[in-house]
């Protein structure tokens, strides 16, 4: 089996088709790829099956069905009682699926006649990731029968994707199978990670069926599983020559006297992740409360826009965060405008979060013009509600599109890296790159968690990490901190969990000096719990 942490490219169904064709053109017959895929399915089915009980294989008329015929044949050879049903006529099969069906020596029932009850395991080989229409009629009824079996506690192993799931978007085409596990091939697809696809897939197993990685450059995938292989080479490293000024400075905007906690949490996160100097830009009314709570983090008082612009004049402040607890309104709008348009010859990344996003509700294009004017690196960090408010009325960001498409459209419109948060957090860049989170624990759904994430992004940016990679690394490390802490997590725990995460990460990196080395870190930290990649 392959490990997506070291093979992070995500392929759309169309791109996966290109990979198949390239492998065949390179000398690997299609039936050989199908035999290998069927073998991977059969092995996972044997692992899942509790007994040598009855295995039911439900096959469709395309390549997925061919994989199912191979898996059924192999399991029968291994001594399992196999019942196989086909949606459509066997005589209508063509190409490799027809050859796979010819090699299956057992009886083939029609799908509607197939008896699912009493099965030890159902193998769903009906439809693959490229399904282009909603299921209806007999196919819909069959999926509903499989789901009824699953609801009664039956195990379902899906081939490629659960039937009915769109591999590009993660959406169900009318109805989709709820799988216990999904076996897919060569590389994951966006639909395996985007909700509700992530939940429908159950555990994931990624099989090597002999497609060479050399086919990828010609395909040019732009989306990736968010993991160390995407950004680890760029993660800041300390050397003997490091000092606090070289590590970069971060500036975090505080709210008023009664809204200071979010900024302080973000500032602590920026300091923990490695920024050499972190200051809280504090309106005069909140200087006393911030001073009473902060030690290693400095307080930078300011009055009005001119005072804030003076703070921006410090060229060492390469990471800037506005929004947490800052208060929605014209005052914050003016501060964001100053942050985005004040020149910084040494380079700066501005992170816009929380209230700063809501201040520009319905004005994403105006925000984009400010981003273009200032030419700084910019990262936006909305959750779904903030995203909907910010991009309301923007014609290029369509609410009906899937999360990956919406994130990329938002990044193109604003010229900023967009972190669209959730259990399937997407990090999207204006240049078309994207990284999708795949093991973000539900314990992150707690007040202040987003402030810490914004602080992580700011701290990495302050150290010179480019916006897209800083955002992707921050999202992954944020999740790793939550996994390391476990149950009972509150936002304040996240920065305190970071040292142990970074210690493990640096141990792996020092040992192997390669991004893929951190795959072992991910496994040790329990990442298999949610995605359950079979390795």
């Amino acid at each position: 089996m392959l490990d997506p942490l070291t093979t992070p490219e995500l392929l759309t169904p169309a791109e996966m088709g290109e990979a198949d064709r390239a492998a065949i053109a390179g000398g690997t017959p299609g039936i050989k790829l199908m035999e290998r895929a069927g073998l991977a399915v059969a092995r996972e089915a044997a692992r899942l099956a509790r007994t040598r009980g009855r295995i039911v294989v439900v096959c469709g008329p395309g390549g997925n069905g061919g994989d199912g015929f191979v898996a059924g044949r192999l399991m029968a050879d291994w001594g399992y009682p196999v019942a196989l049903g086909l949606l459509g006529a066997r005589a209508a099969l063509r190409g490799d699926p027809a050859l796979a069906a010819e090699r299956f020596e057992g009886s083939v029932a029609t799908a509607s006649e197939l008896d699912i009850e009493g099965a030890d395991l159902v193998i769903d080989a009906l439809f693959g990731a490229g399904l282009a229409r909603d299921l209806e009629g007999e196919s819909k009824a069959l999926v509903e029968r499989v789901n009824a079996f699953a609801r009664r506690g039956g195990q379902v192993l899906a081939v490629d994707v659960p039937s009915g799931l769109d591999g590009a978007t993660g959406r169900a085409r009318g109805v989709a199978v709820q799988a216990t596990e999904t076996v897919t091939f060569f590389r994951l697809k966006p639909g395996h990670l985007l909700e509700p696809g992530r939940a429908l897939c159950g555990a994931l197993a990624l099989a090597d069926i002999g497609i060479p990685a050399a086919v990828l450059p010609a395909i040019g995938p732009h989306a990736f599983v968010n993991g160390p292989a995407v950004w680890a080479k760029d993660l800041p490293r300390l050397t003997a020559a490091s000092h606090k000024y070289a590590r970069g400075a971060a500036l975090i905007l505080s709210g008023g006297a009664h809204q200071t906690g979010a900024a302080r949490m973000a500032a602590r996160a920026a300091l923990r992740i490695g920024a050499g100097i972190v200051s809280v830009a504090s309106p005069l009314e909140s200087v006393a409360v911030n001073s009473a709570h902060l030690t290693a983090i400095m307080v930078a008082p300011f009055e009005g826009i001119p005072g804030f612009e003076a703070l921006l004049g410090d060229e060492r402040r390469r990471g800037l965060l506005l929004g947490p607890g800052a208060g929605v309104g014209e005052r914050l709008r003016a501060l964001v405008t100053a942050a985005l348009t004040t020149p910084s010859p040494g380079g700066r990344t501005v992170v816009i979060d929380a209230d700063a996003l809501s201040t520009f509700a319905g004005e994403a294009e105006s925000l984009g013009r400010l981003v273009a004017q200032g030419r700084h690196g910019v990262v936006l960090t909305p959750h779904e509600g903030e995203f909907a408010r910010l991009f309301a009325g923007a014609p290029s960001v369509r609410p009906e599109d899937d999360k990956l498409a919406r994130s990329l459209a938002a990044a193109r419109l604003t010229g900023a890296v967009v972190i669209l948060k959730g259990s399937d957090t997407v990090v999207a860049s204006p240049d078309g790159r994207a990284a999708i989170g795949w093991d973000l624990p539900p314990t992150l759904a707690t007040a202040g968690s987003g402030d810490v994430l914004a602080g992580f992004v700011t701290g990495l940016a302050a150290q010179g990490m480019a916006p897209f990679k800083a955002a992707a690394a921050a999202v992954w490390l944020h999740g790793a901190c939550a996994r390391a802490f476990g149950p009972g997590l509150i936002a304040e725990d996240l920065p305190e969990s970071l040292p142990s995460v970074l210690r493990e990460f640096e141990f792996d990196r020092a040992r192997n000096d390669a991004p893929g080395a951190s795959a072992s870190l991910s496994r040790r930290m329990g990442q298999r719990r949610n995605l359950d990649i079979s390795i």
Side-chain angles (χ1 to χ4, degrees), residues 114-504:
L114 193 62
D115 180 15
I116 293 175
E117 298 308 315
D120 192 35
L121 174 76
V122 170
I123 297 176
D124 162 31
L126 280 169
F127 300 106
L131 185 66
R133 56 180 174 79
D134 286 358
L135 297 184
E136 55 187 18
E138 186 180 6
S139 58
K140 180 180 179 181
L142 190 53
V143 167
E144 289 173 340
R145 287 176 59 203
V146 171
N147 283 345
F149 169 80
R151 284 193 296 272
R152 292 191 291 272
Q155 295 194 100
V156 179
L157 177 63
V159 178
D160 189 24
V161 296
S163 290
L165 178 66
D166 187 319
T169 68
R171 292 179 172 175
R173 300 303 304 252
V175 65
V177 164
Q178 175 62 67
T180 308
E181 180 177 327
T182 298
V183 183
T184 193
F185 315 110
F186 182 55
R187 294 295 187 270
L188 296 183
K189 300 173 182 67
H192 290 126
L193 303 184
L194 296 170
E195 295 288 6
R198 173 177 168 175
L200 290 168
C201 286
L204 277 171
L206 181 61
D208 181 358
I209 59 172
I211 299 175
V215 306
L216 290 169
I219 295 170
H222 69 275
F224 304 89
V225 180
N226 189 2
V230 175
W231 42 261
K233 287 183 178 179
D234 296 89
L235 200 69
R237 303 183 82 160
L238 294 177
T239 69
S242 297
H243 54 84
K244 64 182 180 181
Y245 297 110
R247 296 177 71 178
L251 184 68
I252 317 293
L253 176 66
S254 172
H258 65 294
Q259 292 177 299
T260 58
R264 288 198 303 274
M265 274 199 298
R268 188 167 183 85
L271 192 66
R272 276 288 188 204
I273 210 161
I277 306 172
V278 179
S279 302
V280 171
S282 187
L284 297 184
E285 65 178 290
S286 54
V287 167
V289 65
N290 280 324
S291 297
H293 284 86
L294 296 174
T295 49
I297 296 163
M298 296 187 292
V299 177
F302 75 93
E303 185 173 11
I305 303 304
F308 186 66
E309 289 175 337
L311 296 180
L312 298 178
D314 188 338
E315 290 298 323
R316 295 172 300 182
R317 289 171 172 156
R318 294 182 295 185
L320 178 59
L321 169 60
L322 300 95
V328 175
E330 287 303 314
R331 173 184 169 277
L332 180 54
R333 185 189 185 96
L335 293 171
V336 171
T337 300
L340 291 175
T341 58
T342 300
S344 177
R348 174 177 289 147
T349 295
V350 181
V351 181
I352 300 177
D353 183 43
D355 289 347
L357 296 167
S358 296
T359 291
F360 283 85
E363 297 185 70
E365 291 177 297
S366 297
L367 182 59
R369 285 191 289 272
L370 291 173
V371 171
Q373 180 181 341
R375 299 185 179 180
H376 301 302
V378 178
V379 180
L380 311 180
T381 62
H383 56 59
E384 286 284 4
E386 291 163 341
F387 186 94
R389 289 193 290 273
L390 176 59
F391 293 98
S396 61
V397 185
R398 304 185 304 174
E400 65 271 21
D401 284 345
D402 65 271
K403 187 168 186 173
L404 178 58
R406 287 186 290 119
S407 301
L408 287 166
R412 287 191 296 268
L413 176 65
T414 59
V417 170
V418 173
I419 302 175
L420 182 48
K421 295 181 287 194
S423 61
D424 54 352
T425 293
V426 174
V427 180
S429 172
D431 64 13
R433 288 175 296 165
I436 304 177
W438 59 276
D439 190 24
L440 302 175
T443 51
L444 287 171
T446 184
S449 173
D451 303 319
V452 173
L453 173 61
F456 281 172
V457 179
T458 307
L460 291 172
Q463 296 170 78
M465 204 170 182
F468 174 73
K469 292 192 176 182
V475 168
W476 188 89
L477 290 167
H478 192 239
C481 289
R483 287 189 300 274
F485 188 88
L489 176 80
I490 60 174
E492 288 94 326
D493 299 321
L494 290 164
E496 309 319 306
S497 296
L498 184 61
S500 64
V501 170
L502 292 176
R503 188 179 304 115
E504 293 265 14

Side-chain angles (χ1 to χ4, degrees), residues 14-35:
E15 290 169 339
M16 187 63 204
E18 290 182 47
D20 282 333
R21 289 189 291 274
I24 293 168
T28 304
I31 188 61
K32 192 169 186 177
L33 295 176
M34 188 167 283
E35 285 284 340

